[in-house]
């Protein structure tokens, strides 16, 4: 069915590729030549099209701007040594896209349309996928409400857009993080599990305050007691304690990351004991003091692994083992790099091959 999806393609008259400095790619500032757009109205998705990247027009009354019916996804495509391009586990993002849509009273997008939009767009702009080590093409699918109506009610019309852009190696600094004990990212019954735009707007003030105190990131805790660890900034969080990989179990306040699932699956394959459960801040601090925590890191598409070097909690600073010497997280990083760049066997079928237009039919 997906191969029959009718996508009209308008190519750019003048590619910007030659103007891009691939040695200097700050995250999120460089966009490829084309973007994918689809419209939703009368209860159905329509007008699938790829057009040159650029500004789009809409009414200043659209409900996305006023009431936040907007969400997104973040995915990466990698270039292999043989020139092939693959997207990492986009089927998982397609699933989560629809979880976000449901929670925000927005229309779901059929998984095959989601995958086809990514494949067709990345294929057309395949020269934008960097071939340098640790570089990738970041893919940003998103949806927003477009009814020009100031009523607090679900919009009847929406736009689905996919942007892409080359990105360099994520700033893989070891993090000094603060356990947040006042603000909350998400609350019980809320929509922290959705990649809703509003979740990120609300996180900026607490993050900025932590930066002013000298921290790089926040460890979010539960909104009731601020006693249980939930996430690290916009990434999931994991610890290796007593030889066990522990991570907060998913719930409505926690975004169920694709990288989280990937790391847990690898760990299972390596026969590492795993515990998905509630983890208290007190338990972590005790574990650090007693030298039982050997690894602590955030997991997400942007960084893959972000090592935590120090944790601040209520005025005290706790130092963790040297990130360069950590066995588990560095093994995960190496394993994923081998896999995503096509240098090792894809046992789990995680690499979604981007077929080229010429090789189809
Ligand atoms: C995107 C995101 C993650 C990580 O999800 P991945 O699918 O691994 O990229 C974790 N937490 C939050 C809050 C996020 O927005």
């Amino acid at each position: 069915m997906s191969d029959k999806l009718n996508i009209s393609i308008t190519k750019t008259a003048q590619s910007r590729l030659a103007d891009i400095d691939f040695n200097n790619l700050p995250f999120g500032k460089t966009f490829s030549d084309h973007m994918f757009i689809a419209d939703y109205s009368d209860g159905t998705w329509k007008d699938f099209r790829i057009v040159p990247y650029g500004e789009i027009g809409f009414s200043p009354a659209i409900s996305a701007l006023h009431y936040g019916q907007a969400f997104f996804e973040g995915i990466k495509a990698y270039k292999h040594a043989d020139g092939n391009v693959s997207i990492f586990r986009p089927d998982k993002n397609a699933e989560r896209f629809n979880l976000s849509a449901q929670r925000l009273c927005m229309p779901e997008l059929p998984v095959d349309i989601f995958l086809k939009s990514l494949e067709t767009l990345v294929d057309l702009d395949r020269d934008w996928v960097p071939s340098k080590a640790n570089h990738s093409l970041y893919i940003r699918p998103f949806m927003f409400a477009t009814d020009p109506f100031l009523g607090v009610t679900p919009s009847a019309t929406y736009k689905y857009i996919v942007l892409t852009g080359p990105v360099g190696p994520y700033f893989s600094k070891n993090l000094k993080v603060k356990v947040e004990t006042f603000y909350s990212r998400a609350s019980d019954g809320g929509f922290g599990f959705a990649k809703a735009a509003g979740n990120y707007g609300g996180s900026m003030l607490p993050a900025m305050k932590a930066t002013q105190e000298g921290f790089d990131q926040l460890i979010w805790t539960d909104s009731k007691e601020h006693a249980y660890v939930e996430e690290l900034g916009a990434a999931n969080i994991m610890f290796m304690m007593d030889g066990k990989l522990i991570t907060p179990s998913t719930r409505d306040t926690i975004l169920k990351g694709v990288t989280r699932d990937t790391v847990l699956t690898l760990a299972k394959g390596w026969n590492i004991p795993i515990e998905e459960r509630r983890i208290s801040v007190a338990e972590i601090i005790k574990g650090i003091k007693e030298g039982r925590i050997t690894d602590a890191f955030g997991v997400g598409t942007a960084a893959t692994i972000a090592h935590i070097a120090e944790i601040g909690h209520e005025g005290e600073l706790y130092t963790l083992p040297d990130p360069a010497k950590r066995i588990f997280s560095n093994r995960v990083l190496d394993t994923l790099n081998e896999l995503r760049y096509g240098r090792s066997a894809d046992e789990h079928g995680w690499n979604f091959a981007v077929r080229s237009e010429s090789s189809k039919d």
Side-chain angles (χ1 to χ4, degrees):
M1 183 247 165
S2 64
D3 275 331
K4 295 200 188 84
L5 185 72
N6 188 12
I7 302 172
S8 91
I9 297 178
T10 309
K11 289 191 188 171
T12 181
Q14 181 71 55
S15 172
R16 289 176 284 104
L17 191 57
D19 305 334
I20 307 302
D21 178 5
F22 276 77
N23 294 311
N24 177 27
L25 293 168
F27 178 86
K29 288 192 174 168
T30 306
F31 298 99
S32 312
D33 279 331
H34 300 93
M35 60 185 180
F36 181 98
I37 306 184
D39 297 317
Y40 182 91
S41 62
D42 306 318
T44 178
W45 286 105
K46 55 186 76 159
D47 298 337
F48 305 105
R49 57 201 188 272
I50 288 176
V51 295
Y53 168 82
E55 292 186 3
I56 55 170
F58 45 70
S59 155
I62 65 169
S63 40
L65 292 176
H66 300 269
Y67 308 121
Q69 263 194 309
F71 68 93
F72 64 95
E73 269 305 326
I75 313 171
K76 279 177 174 175
Y78 300 86
K79 186 161 277 177
H80 301 194
D82 62 8
N84 284 330
V85 171
S86 65
I87 305 175
F88 193 71
R89 305 190 76 184
D91 49 321
K92 298 291 284 181
N93 301 88
E95 246 173 64
R96 189 169 67 199
F97 201 71
N98 286 334
L99 285 180
S100 296
Q102 286 162 15
R103 181 61 181 82
L104 295 170
C105 266
M106 295 167 70
E108 291 184 34
L109 183 74
V111 169
D112 59 339
I113 296 182
F114 183 91
L115 295 176
K116 192 72 189 167
S117 66
L118 267 51
E119 185 180 20
T120 312
L121 183 63
V122 173
D123 176 30
L124 184 65
D125 281 337
R126 91 175 31 238
D127 292 344
W128 286 81
V129 188
S131 32
K132 288 177 61 182
N134 297 315
H135 285 55
S136 58
L137 187 79
Y138 185 76
I139 306 171
R140 169 54 62 89
F142 59 108
M143 192 197 297
F144 60 98
T146 54
D147 274 6
F149 170 54
L150 299 181
V152 184
T153 177
S155 180
T157 65
Y158 297 86
K159 261 188 166 43
Y160 165 66
I161 302 184
V162 187
L163 305 176
T164 74
V167 293
Y170 188 84
F171 194 54
S172 58
K173 177 175 184 260
N174 299 320
L175 305 172
K176 178 180 175 185
V177 305
K178 176 192 165 185
V179 178
E180 179 59 63
T181 52
F182 178 76
Y183 293 106
S184 301
R185 189 191 82 88
S187 59
D188 294 350
F191 51 96
F193 65 88
K195 243 173 153 62
N199 285 331
Y200 305 87
S203 74
M204 291 176 191
L205 178 70
M208 189 188 72
K209 289 192 170 181
T211 306
Q212 287 164 350
E213 294 168 32
F215 294 97
D216 304 305
Q217 279 284 359
L218 288 177
I219 290 181
W220 297 108
T221 53
D222 70 288
S223 62
K224 274 189 194 148
E225 303 171 67
H226 296 295
Y228 295 91
V229 172
E230 294 206 322
E231 298 210 53
L232 175 71
N236 295 113
I237 191 165
M238 295 187 174
F239 302 90
M240 187 65 82
M241 182 156 81
D242 300 328
K244 283 182 270 187
L245 182 63
I246 61 171
T247 192
S249 34
T250 53
R251 52 200 302 270
D252 53 7
T253 53
I254 294 179
L255 191 120
K256 203 172 170 181
V258 178
T259 317
R260 177 185 183 279
D261 180 80
T262 301
V263 174
L264 292 178
T265 305
L266 288 177
K268 236 170 257 166
W270 297 338
N271 295 315
I272 290 165
I274 294 166
E275 286 180 4
E276 291 181 65
R277 58 172 174 84
R278 295 209 93 184
I279 300 168
S280 71
V281 176
E283 176 184 0
I284 294 303
I285 289 172
K286 188 163 179 282
I288 297 172
K289 283 183 178 163
E290 295 173 355
R292 291 157 47 223
I293 295 192
T294 51
D295 216 331
F297 51 96
V299 293
T301 296
T304 306
I305 298 282
H307 289 114
I308 299 173
E310 293 171 287
I311 297 181
H313 180 245
E314 302 194 323
E316 295 290 330
L317 196 61
Y318 304 91
T319 303
L320 288 118
D322 180 4
K325 295 188 184 138
R326 297 182 190 175
I327 296 165
F328 178 77
S329 51
N330 289 312
R331 181 180 180 192
V332 166
L333 201 50
D334 291 344
T335 304
L336 284 178
N337 278 334
E338 289 300 298
L339 174 63
R340 295 182 298 201
Y341 291 101
R343 296 189 294 258
S344 66
D346 183 14
E347 286 166 38
H348 300 280
W350 285 339
N351 287 337
F352 176 91
V354 176
R355 296 164 300 171
S356 63
E357 192 48 47
S358 50
S359 75
K360 283 178 202 162
D361 313 310

